[in-house]
Amino acid sequence: MSNLERGLIVIVSVHFADVGVRAVRAVLRERPRPDTTPGLRYAQTTLTGAVAAGPPRVRPGRAGLLAAWEDDAALDRFLAEDPLARRLAGGWHVRLRPLRISGSWPSMPVEIDPGAAGDGEDGPVAVLTLGQLRLRRALPFLRASSHASGRAAADPSLVASVALARPPRFVGTFSLWQSLSAMRHYAYGADRPAHQEAVRQDRADPFHHESAFVRFRPYGARGTLDGHEPVAAAVKASG
């Protein structure tokens, strides 16, 4: 039985666009639904902010969409036909092939594509962190996240990053790194303990009801984010 027959996800797309403060509310309301959008398996529309040390900083007017698809053709149809896609068309989006998943996100049942380049190949990688926050753990989560995010934002190998939120519980991050080795050094390097300390605290008393860390190979980017196309910049830096 193929991945499509089992309802598993082959690709993910991430979209960001500066639509204006009022229009962000409309984007949040217009989250696509799998039962009415052909080929869609999962979607979440979000507020966005900066990945940085300190308290969360929302970016007014910038909206985000995370979506998972059966294949590229399903995403192509969405981009050509859906009103939300037209609303986000002035921003940036990227297609992502899953390479590795840690944790669980049941509403987005990713299975690694055996044809995708895996951990043996360096080069640009994207990472999504996804969480359904335990509200009683919100303050410890924000403190741990602040330290780890500050360290990531200062890393010269980080090409692009966006914090994601849909109150009251959904939180996440998107990050794009010059290379797999650079991302691993941030996450596991002995001289960079902030991320490992956040992981330790989460294991001791979980921040989330459910959470996942998903690594991807980016491809098929279109548009610009903050004046440049991040995947092209990552490829250039890694070359």
Side-chain angles (χ1 to χ4, degrees):
M1 183 180 293
S2 70
N3 282 355
L4 297 187
E5 290 170 329
R6 287 179 289 170
L8 297 171
I9 290 161
V10 175
I11 68 165
V12 169
S13 64
V14 176
H15 311 245
F16 300 114
D18 294 316
V19 298
V21 174
R22 292 183 180 179
V24 167
R25 296 180 182 178
V27 170
L28 294 179
R29 291 194 301 268
E30 293 171 7
R31 177 169 54 178
R33 295 171 48 185
D35 59 346
T36 58
T37 306
L40 179 68
R41 295 299 188 190
Y42 169 84
Q44 180 67 277
T45 49
T46 74
L47 303 172
T48 69
V51 172
R57 290 183 287 172
V58 174
R59 174 123 183 194
R62 177 171 289 181
L65 167 66
L66 311 180
W69 308 91
E70 292 179 351
D71 53 25
D72 284 291
L75 174 54
D76 289 338
R77 285 193 300 269
F78 170 78
L79 293 173
E81 300 171 4
D82 195 279
L84 177 58
R86 290 194 289 272
R87 193 185 289 275
L88 299 174
W92 175 77
H93 75 263
V94 61
R95 302 174 190 231
L96 306 169
R97 291 199 183 280
L99 297 177
R100 181 179 293 269
I101 181 167
S102 300
S104 176
W105 201 252
S107 57
M108 192 173 79
V110 172
E111 179 164 303
I112 304 307
D113 180 358
D119 285 355
E121 179 180 319
D122 212 350
V125 294
V127 174
L128 279 176
T129 65
L130 307 168
Q132 288 288 349
L133 186 63
R134 296 179 187 269
L135 296 183
R136 69 171 181 83
R137 293 286 286 152
L139 289 179
F141 166 73
L142 291 173
R143 285 195 293 266
S145 178
S146 173
H147 293 308
S149 295
R151 189 65 185 180
D155 194 309
S157 299
L158 183 68
V159 179
S161 62
V162 181
L164 313 169
R166 187 181 179 103
R169 294 187 184 276
F170 176 80
V171 292
T173 62
F174 168 82
S175 58
L176 178 67
W177 298 81
Q178 289 179 6
S179 66
L180 174 61
S181 55
M183 185 278 295
R184 281 176 164 168
H185 183 59
Y186 158 73
Y188 309 115
D191 60 332
R192 303 185 180 189
H195 178 266
Q196 295 170 68
E197 175 60 19
V199 171
R200 186 195 66 77
Q201 292 183 39
D202 180 57
R203 287 175 177 168
D205 188 358
F207 298 132
H208 306 292
H209 293 284
E210 58 188 32
S211 62
F213 170 100
V214 195
R215 186 186 305 164
F216 301 90
R217 187 70 65 193
Y219 72 103
R222 183 178 300 175
T224 61
L225 182 68
D226 296 325
H228 71 286
E229 199 291 284
V231 174
V235 170
K236 183 178 180 180
S238 66

